[in-house]
Amino acid sequence: MARRDPRSPEPGYLAFWREYHLCTLTTHRPDGSPHVVPVGVTYDPEAGLARVITNTHSAKAANVRAAAGEAGAPVAVCQVEKRRWATLEGLATVSQDPARVAEAVRRYTERYGRTPAPSPDRVVIEIALTRAMGNA
C-alpha cells in the first residue's frame, strides 16, 4: 500500500479518481458500527476535498452530522477496479450552502457524465482530506 499526499497526488492516482468508478463511503452510526454505502465521489486535490452529493435526510448525512465535532466526522471513500484501488480519508461535514452544492454537482456531472435531477433537499458531504492511499 502506497501512502500519498492527498493534496499532491501522482498523475496516475489522480487519473484513476477521474475515471468513471462507483465508490463507497464509510461513516459511523451513533452506536459506532460502520455504515458503508455506494456513492459517486469527486476528488479535488487543490482544495484538499472529496465531495459526495446526497439528500439531507440520508443516513450518511445524518451519520456525519451526529459524529461531527468541530473539525468533522472521520470518514473514508474508496474505489476499486480489479487490482487497482484508492482510498481517501478525512473529516467530513455536511453543507447545504447553494454554492458548495452547485460546485459538487458540477464536479459530479464532469466525472460521471450525467447531471443529477434537481432536488431541494440536496446537500454535499465535504471531506477535508487527511490521507490518501492505494496502488492506482
Side-chain angles (χ1 to χ4, degrees):
M1 164 185 68
R3 191 163 177 186
R4 298 167 154 75
D5 178 352
R7 289 182 152 272
S8 184
E10 294 88 358
Y13 189 79
L14 183 57
F16 186 50
W17 277 103
R18 297 230 163 109
E19 295 171 10
Y20 186 109
H21 295 286
L22 293 180
C23 305
T24 59
L25 168 67
T26 303
T27 61
H28 292 91
R29 296 180 182 99
D31 69 2
S33 63
H35 178 256
V36 183
V37 293
V39 294
V41 175
T42 62
Y43 176 27
D44 180 359
E46 294 82 20
L49 293 174
R51 295 177 179 92
V52 175
I53 56 175
T54 190
N55 183 296
T56 191
H57 306 294
S58 70
K60 56 188 157 285
N63 290 343
V64 168
R65 284 188 191 104
E70 285 267 327
V75 302
V77 290
C78 183
Q79 64 182 23
V80 178
E81 181 192 47
K82 297 181 182 176
R83 296 180 60 99
R84 295 189 306 161
W85 65 274
T87 298
L88 298 169
E89 297 178 7
L91 297 170
T93 56
V94 177
S95 177
Q96 54 191 17
D97 175 84
R100 288 172 154 346
V101 172
E103 178 64 8
V105 168
R106 182 190 72 74
R107 289 176 178 276
Y108 178 95
T109 299
E110 184 178 280
R111 181 174 189 195
Y112 292 101
R114 71 172 196 83
T115 303
S119 171
D121 293 328
R122 179 164 292 127
V123 295
V124 58
I125 296 173
E126 292 183 326
I127 304 163
L129 299 172
T130 57
R131 181 178 295 170
M133 58 190 145
N135 68 355

